Each structure stands twice: as C-alpha cells, then as structure tokens.
Amino acid sequence: MDDERTDGEAALDDDDLRERLEQRLMSHGVYVTDLETEAGTLRVNYETATPGTGVPHREVGRVLNRLLALQDEGWSPTDVRGTVADIDGGRRGTWRADEEWLAAHARGDLSDVDLSQRVLDTIEEA
C-alpha cells in the first residue's frame, strides 16, 4: 500500500517507481534491472545498450531527469545511487545524487547545470 504524503498525494512505492522509470528509459537503451529503497537511499541498477566502456553521461541525465519529473507523481527526493552495467552484465561504473542536491534543485536553489555537474563529478568508472 502506498504511503501518504503530507500534501495528500500518494507516494510512489518501489514497484511503481521502477515501472515509471522503465516506461520512459527503455526507448533510450536503458533497462532497469533492480530498484529498491534501503535506509533512505534509492538504489537503481540498470543496463545500458550504449556501446563502449564507462558510464554514459547522457543516460545518467536521463535517469536523473525522469526521477525529477516523478516528483509531480509522488516521488520524494532521497539519496540516489546508480549502478551501470552493460547488456552482458559487465559492470561499467556508478554515480550518485545526494538528497540535499535534489532538494536544492526542487527549490530553485541549484540550477540544472550545477546539479548535472555535481552528479557527473561522482561517477566512478569500473
């Protein structure tokens, strides 16, 4: 059952969040393989069809932008940890977005460019 938000809008549970992310990302070659909230951190594991090595920056932006858009549908910003693999399951790297950054962005205190740069600075290639 969904939790109730203080503004009366139902919060998204992990299953709803995963489904909504998958719907928007599959057409971009991003396949969510696991999503769970654990100890206040949203962990998103996904495979990329993008050739090459490392974490594709454009896809990090797509995942993050979709999460930001889902705030209007009941997702509350939290720490986000992304783990990226290739379609054969080989690890490509990780990235993170801190709740503090996402909340500042939602308030208008952090621009799109500044948020993107902070997240890209966290990438750790495998």
Side-chain angles (χ1 to χ4, degrees):
M1 183 168 179
D2 291 338
D3 297 325
E4 289 299 316
R5 290 169 37 126
T6 55
D7 63 6
E9 189 176 326
L12 294 175
D13 66 19
D14 286 354
D15 290 336
D16 288 337
L17 187 58
R18 180 179 178 162
E19 182 178 324
R20 292 174 194 208
L21 279 176
E22 286 177 335
Q23 288 173 353
R24 292 293 295 238
L25 297 173
M26 284 176 51
S27 65
H28 297 288
V30 176
Y31 307 96
V32 177
T33 58
D34 192 34
L35 181 145
E36 68 177 343
T37 302
E38 178 183 293
T41 298
L42 175 64
R43 298 187 184 285
V44 181
N45 299 333
Y46 61 92
E47 293 179 343
T48 177
T50 300
T53 60
V55 176
H57 294 189
R58 183 172 286 169
E59 290 175 3
V60 172
R62 286 185 174 125
V63 172
L64 192 58
N65 284 332
R66 184 61 187 142
L67 285 171
L68 293 172
L70 286 170
Q71 289 178 88
D72 293 336
E73 297 179 35
W75 180 70
S76 296
T78 184
D79 288 339
V80 178
R81 301 295 181 261
T83 301
V84 186
D86 60 29
I87 56 174
D88 296 322
R91 186 177 163 99
R92 289 182 62 166
T94 62
W95 57 270
R96 76 171 205 277
D98 293 345
E99 177 181 8
E100 171 185 324
W101 305 342
L102 300 174
H105 181 268
R107 290 190 309 269
D109 296 337
L110 190 63
S111 72
D112 290 343
V113 171
D114 289 337
L115 175 60
S116 294
Q117 190 58 57
R118 287 185 186 192
V119 174
L120 291 176
D121 287 346
T122 71
I123 291 176
E124 292 184 19
E125 306 289 350

